[in-house]
Amino acid sequence: MKTKAMAAIAAEETVLGTETGIAPGKTKRRRAHRVSALASYIQATPLAVILGLFLLLPILTIGMVSFWDYDSVRIYPDFVTFNYTETLGSWVTWKTYLNTLKFTAIVWFLTMVIGFWVAYFLAFHIRSATMQMILFLVCTVPFLTSNIIRMISWVPFLGRNGLINSSLIELGIVPKPLEFLLFSEFAVVLAMVHLYTLFMVTPIFNTLMRIDRSLIEAARDAGASGFQVLTNVIIPLAKPGIAIGSIFVVTLVMGDFITARFMSGGQSASVGLMMANQISLLQYPAAAANAVILLIVVLLIVAAILRVVDIRKEL
Amino acid sequence: MHADKRSREFYILAIFFGLFVLFLYGPLTTIFILSFQGPSGGLTFPMNGVSVHWFANLFEQQAVGDFGGSFRRSMILGLMTTTITVIVSLLAGLAFRRKFKGSTFLFYLAISSLVVPSILISLGIGLFFQVLGIRPAWWSSGLGAHLTWTLPFGVLIMFAVFNRFSPAYEEAARDLGATPWQTFRFVVLPMIAPSLIGVGLFGFTLSYDEFARTLMTAGTFNTLPLEIYGMTTNVTTPVLYALGTVTTVFSFLIILLALTAIIIVGRRRARIG
């Protein structure tokens, strides 16, 4: 329905465009317009084909397979609903979802606070554009290196005989190594914040850079304190960036399984991990049903974020 | 008055920023140092001497599985992904300059490619190939999975570039009698070249490090991140850190190369322009 309506609007706009195009009464222009419209289709085709083949059809396949039957060897075309009833009827699923949502909330909050202040510092306290660019790159570069290596790199810090434990013991703060540092939920949150904060920094930095500085001057002239400028001017204007960053972080954490598996040493549960386990047991239809539920939950959260903040201006 | 206000807030935030950078780079620096651990050293400090023993170890087949092969596959896959990402993003960017039927849908499809969790894409493509009866391989299903991750970034960058691109330059070229191809080749392309290098950099590094989307789509042979992940479960020597150091240094070199290219292109343009 909605796509149809959109297509209708788009079609109407094309018609209007053509009509304004022929205002001087030249058919040549009309043809040029038609040729350029054709060019747009040709130029957009590769993207449409790739996304159709590797995004749209695979997701439809997941939807289809979630109704299939399976045994320990293979999967069978069928129309059964027990993949859903089993998943939704088990309290393990609900507990896992709650646990995943808890991780999402904690990581979202931490990355937002850290990301906002880092972006704020870069946007408002660094005066020279070159320095701004350099510091921004310093923040971006780790994002372009391997996630797994970045996770591994916490081992010498957090391990039983790691840097933190050995310094704490040496300083006499704790008598024996703290066990909760590595392979715990704490480690999972720490690694996720480490991996994903950049997804907050970039969009927030982008919106902060676009704020008209005269607005801040005006607020100051009108007698606003620094705190009031922040809460009444800067944060409301930064909302679209915060929303985009939030969408990134929420979807990354909701679908994560590798961080949860590696950093918790298998002790913590997450939806992604549950799916990965079902996949490794070749229970594809069960994993597919889980995937459909996960997708719905993620899309609901994204829709909720978009309801609160209008990000269209940012695109 | 302003400078006065700046000093306190500035220093607090500067310290915060410094801690953030330390948080980002501290762990990486640690494994860099530990990868030079002596032959009898372990996974944590103290250092038992300094050596390149673990780097040598890395290139022995038995020690770490198929490092050379997986590195080669990741390289080729990265280059394939980069090439396709740059070309397809550029074409899509050009297409989105005009409104066409379905443009909104296609744009949202590209965005949703970022929002859909990676494990779903991995499972979906894996099942899709299985249902069709095609054997997944890193250069077919794996490539497709990587493109669902790199293309949205490329399209968004090109979208932003063309949003700020003034059509006046093209009009001027046309008025001077340039054909559409000449306008594109000699006016548009040189102006957006730095952004295209940026898209290529994103394409390569995202593909080279991609794990979750490759998991079910790589087929029989592992890419480098899959190989590293396999190692984490059974390798308990600093050879793991040596591998981390090598791949990270390689990523840094790629970033440096791309930045240098962007600066050179920018300088050349400044000289001509």
Side-chain angles (χ1 to χ4, degrees), chain A residues 13 36 40-41 43 54 58 61-62 120 125 127 138 142 144-145 149 153 156-157 194 210 251 258 261 279, chain B residues 6 9 23-25 27 30 34 91 95 98-99 101 115 120-121 124 128 148 164 205 209 216 229 241 244:
Chain A
E13 269 165 5
S36 74
S40 279
Y41 284 115
Q43 286 161 343
F54 293 105
T61 313
I62 291 181
Y120 180 86
H125 282 291
R127 298 274 164 82
V138 165
L144 299 173
T145 65
I149 299 291
S153 65
F157 268 90
H194 187 229
R210 283 200 223 163
T251 53
I258 167 91
R261 179 183 280 168
I279 291 171
Chain B
R6 168 179 175 150
E9 198 185 273
F23 172 65
L24 282 183
Y25 287 87
T30 317
L34 281 172
L91 286 175
R98 292 175 293 258
K99 217 161 171 74
K101 219 186 252 187
V115 172
L120 248 133
I121 306 254
F128 181 54
T148 61
R164 290 161 186 72
T205 53
D209 299 322
M216 275 197 69
Y229 180 67
Y241 298 153

Side-chain angles (χ1 to χ4, degrees), chain B residues 61-134:
Chain B
Q61 272 275 328
Q62 288 86 353
V64 287
D66 188 14
F67 168 66
S70 56
F71 176 71
R72 189 175 46 89
R73 280 188 286 277
S74 274
M75 266 306 271
I76 299 171
L77 183 56
L79 291 175
M80 282 159 71
T81 311
T82 308
T83 314
I84 299 175
T85 305
V86 170
I87 295 172
V88 173
S89 310
L90 171 62
L91 286 175
L94 290 171
F96 280 125
R97 295 182 78 186
R98 292 175 293 258
K99 217 161 171 74
F100 58 94
K101 219 186 252 187
S103 61
T104 318
F105 176 74
L106 186 60
F107 184 71
Y108 279 111
L109 192 65
I111 300 288
S112 58
S113 195
L114 284 179
V115 172
V116 174
S118 297
I119 188 167
L120 248 133
I121 306 254
S122 202
L123 175 67
I125 296 178
L127 286 177
F128 181 54
F129 271 58
Q130 196 176 339
V131 168
L132 290 180
I134 307 170

Side-chain angles (χ1 to χ4, degrees), chain B residues 6-81:
Chain B
R6 168 179 175 150
S7 54
R8 208 182 38 176
E9 198 185 273
F10 174 79
Y11 287 115
I12 294 172
L13 284 175
I15 290 169
F16 181 75
F17 185 80
L19 287 174
F20 177 69
V21 172
L22 196 67
F23 172 65
L24 282 183
Y25 287 87
L28 280 177
T29 318
T30 317
I31 65 158
F32 177 76
I33 296 169
L34 281 172
S35 62
F36 292 97
Q37 181 77 278
S40 59
L43 280 173
T44 48
F45 285 106
M47 297 281 283
N48 268 340
V50 176
S51 76
V52 290
H53 172 81
W54 302 108
F55 288 94
N57 208 302
L58 193 60
F59 294 96
E60 291 162 18
Q61 272 275 328
Q62 288 86 353
V64 287
D66 188 14
F67 168 66
S70 56
F71 176 71
R72 189 175 46 89
R73 280 188 286 277
S74 274
M75 266 306 271
I76 299 171
L77 183 56
L79 291 175
M80 282 159 71
T81 311

Side-chain angles (χ1 to χ4, degrees), chain A residues 116-139 201 205 208-209 213, chain B residues 2 6-7 9-18 21:
Chain A
F116 179 81
W117 287 112
V118 167
Y120 180 86
F121 175 73
L122 285 178
F124 290 116
H125 282 291
I126 305 297
R127 298 274 164 82
S128 100
T130 323
M131 199 58 199
Q132 224 164 25
M133 209 54 229
I134 291 172
L135 289 180
F136 182 69
L137 274 175
V138 165
C139 294
V201 174
F205 177 65
L208 291 183
M209 287 301 284
R213 302 299 142 116
Chain B
H2 199 86
R6 168 179 175 150
S7 54
E9 198 185 273
F10 174 79
Y11 287 115
I12 294 172
L13 284 175
I15 290 169
F16 181 75
F17 185 80
V21 172

Side-chain angles (χ1 to χ4, degrees), chain A residues 141-206:
Chain A
V141 163
F143 165 70
L144 299 173
T145 65
S146 166
N147 276 6
I148 296 177
I149 299 291
R150 289 173 69 200
M151 271 183 246
I152 292 170
S153 65
W154 280 107
V155 172
F157 268 90
L158 302 176
R160 243 189 92 86
N161 306 309
L163 272 183
I164 294 178
N165 267 330
S166 48
S167 359
L168 284 178
I169 289 168
E170 211 147 283
L171 292 170
I173 296 171
V174 291
K176 60 180 173 59
L178 297 171
E179 297 289 347
F180 75 86
L181 289 176
L182 191 62
F183 302 137
S184 62
E185 300 203 330
F186 165 78
V188 177
V189 171
L190 183 76
M192 283 180 172
V193 172
H194 187 229
L195 294 177
Y196 301 145
T197 304
L198 290 157
F199 284 98
M200 278 287 189
V201 174
T202 310
I204 297 177
F205 177 65
N206 201 20

